[in-house]
Amino acid sequence: MQADYLDLAARIASLTDGEDDAVALMATVACELHHSDDRFDWTGFYRVVAPDLLKIGPYQGGHGCLVIPFDRGVCGACARTGEVQIVPDVDAFPGHIACASSTRSEIVLPVRDRRGALIAVLDIDSDRPDAFGETDAEALAAILSATLAR
Ligand code: SME
């Protein structure tokens, strides 16, 4: 099944109502996103822990690499540019970091706090080629803003 983003946003809002702890919020978002859509084979956060370094945060799926410098991977490109990365074919992305050999496509979004500071990226991997598009990017960005920039 594919995510019903309006239903998903409402459920996450209800589950996180009154919560402001970033780890608790990320854990809830990762869990609810991951189990909402058959395309999502790895769903998780990489947190900004130093000026040019990401470190793994709450996630669902197989093990993910622990640290990613801003100059590597799809996650690094997102953190470096502040722009959403929609990757239809990870094998065509220079420097893609393959945490699972089954991954075919990926979407990575910047995660900002209420002051607009980059605090993490959200990474979703799919075993399906070209799994993500602008509709996913817009809906996921809205969920991230409502949950982590409150
Ligand atoms: N594919 C990501 C690395 C994270 S693993 O997929 C969980 C990247 O290229 O940055």
Side-chain angles (χ1 to χ4, degrees), residues 42 46 64-65 68 72-76 95-99 106 123 125:
W42 194 96
Y46 280 88
C65 56
I68 301 177
R72 290 197 60 218
V74 184
C75 292
H96 170 256
I97 301 168
C99 293
E106 187 163 355
D123 179 21
D125 296 341

Coordinates of all heavy atoms in Angstrom, one line a residue, residues 42 46 64-65 68 72-76 95-99 106 123 125, ligand 1:
W42 N 13.8 1.4 4.0 CA 14.6 1.9 5.1 C 14.2 3.3 5.3 O 14.1 4.1 4.4 CB 16.1 1.9 4.8 CG 17.0 2.1 6.0 CD1 17.6 1.1 6.7 CD2 17.4 3.3 6.5 NE1 18.4 1.7 7.7 CE2 18.2 3.0 7.7 CE3 17.2 4.7 6.2 CZ2 18.8 4.0 8.5 CZ3 17.7 5.7 7.0 CH2 18.5 5.3 8.1
Y46 N 19.4 11.0 9.9 CA 20.8 11.3 10.2 C 20.9 12.7 10.8 O 20.4 13.7 10.2 CB 21.7 11.2 9.0 CG 22.0 9.7 8.7 CD1 21.1 9.0 7.9 CD2 23.1 9.1 9.2 CE1 21.4 7.6 7.6 CE2 23.4 7.7 8.9 CZ 22.5 7.0 8.1 OH 22.8 5.7 7.8
G64 N 22.0 0.8 9.4 CA 22.5 1.9 8.6 C 23.8 2.3 9.0 O 24.2 2.1 10.2
C65 N 24.6 2.9 8.1 CA 25.9 3.3 8.5 C 25.8 4.4 9.5 O 24.9 5.1 9.6 CB 26.7 3.8 7.2 SG 25.9 5.1 6.4
I68 N 28.0 9.9 8.4 CA 28.1 10.4 7.0 C 28.6 11.8 7.0 O 28.0 12.7 7.5 CB 26.8 10.3 6.3 CG1 26.2 8.9 6.3 CG2 27.0 10.8 4.8 CD1 24.8 8.8 5.6
R72 N 29.7 13.3 1.5 CA 29.5 12.0 0.9 C 28.0 11.7 0.8 O 27.2 12.2 1.6 CB 30.2 10.9 1.8 CG 31.7 11.0 1.7 CD 32.3 9.7 2.2 NE 31.8 8.5 1.5 CZ 31.5 7.3 2.0 NH1 31.6 7.2 3.3 NH2 31.1 6.3 1.3
G73 N 27.7 10.8 -0.1 CA 26.4 10.2 -0.2 C 25.2 11.2 -0.6 O 25.4 12.4 -0.7
V74 N 24.1 10.6 -0.6 CA 22.8 11.4 -0.9 C 22.5 12.2 0.3 O 22.1 13.4 0.2 CB 21.7 10.4 -1.3 CG1 20.4 11.3 -1.7 CG2 22.1 9.5 -2.4
C75 N 22.7 11.6 1.5 CA 22.4 12.4 2.7 C 23.3 13.6 2.9 O 22.9 14.7 3.3 CB 22.6 11.5 3.9 SG 21.3 10.2 4.0
G76 N 24.6 13.4 2.5 CA 25.5 14.5 2.6 C 25.2 15.6 1.6 O 25.2 16.8 1.9
G95 N 28.8 8.7 -5.7 CA 29.1 8.7 -4.2 C 28.0 8.2 -3.4 O 28.0 8.3 -2.1
H96 N 27.0 7.6 -4.0 CA 25.9 7.0 -3.2 C 26.5 6.0 -2.2 O 27.4 5.2 -2.6 CB 24.9 6.3 -4.1 CG 23.9 5.4 -3.4 ND1 24.0 4.0 -3.3 CD2 22.9 5.8 -2.6 CE1 23.0 3.6 -2.6 NE2 22.3 4.6 -2.1
I97 N 26.0 6.0 -1.0 CA 26.4 5.1 0.0 C 25.4 4.0 0.2 O 24.2 4.2 0.5 CB 26.6 5.8 1.4 CG1 27.6 6.9 1.3 CG2 27.0 4.8 2.5 CD1 27.7 7.8 2.5
A98 N 25.8 2.8 -0.2 CA 24.8 1.6 -0.2 C 24.8 0.9 1.1 O 25.7 0.1 1.4 CB 25.1 0.7 -1.3
C99 N 23.9 1.2 2.0 CA 23.8 0.5 3.3 C 23.1 -0.9 3.0 O 23.3 -1.8 3.8 CB 23.0 1.2 4.3 SG 23.8 2.7 4.8
E106 N 15.9 6.5 -3.8 CA 16.0 7.1 -2.5 C 15.5 8.5 -2.5 O 15.5 9.2 -3.6 CB 17.5 7.1 -2.2 CG 17.9 7.6 -0.8 CD 19.3 7.2 -0.4 OE1 20.0 6.5 -1.2 OE2 19.8 7.6 0.7
D123 N 16.0 10.2 5.6 CA 16.4 9.3 4.4 C 15.4 8.2 4.3 O 15.1 7.5 5.3 CB 17.8 8.8 4.7 CG 18.3 7.9 3.6 OD1 17.8 7.9 2.5 OD2 19.2 7.0 3.9
D125 N 14.8 4.9 1.8 CA 15.4 4.0 0.7 C 14.3 3.1 0.2 O 13.4 2.6 1.0 CB 16.5 3.1 1.2 CG 17.7 3.9 1.6 OD1 17.8 5.1 1.2 OD2 18.6 3.4 2.3
Ligands
SME1 N1 22.2 5.9 1.0 C1 22.6 7.0 2.0 C2 23.3 6.4 3.2 C3 22.4 6.0 4.3 S1 21.9 4.3 4.1 O1 21.1 4.3 2.8 C4 20.7 4.0 5.4 C5 23.5 8.0 1.3 O2 24.0 7.7 0.1 O3 23.7 9.0 1.9

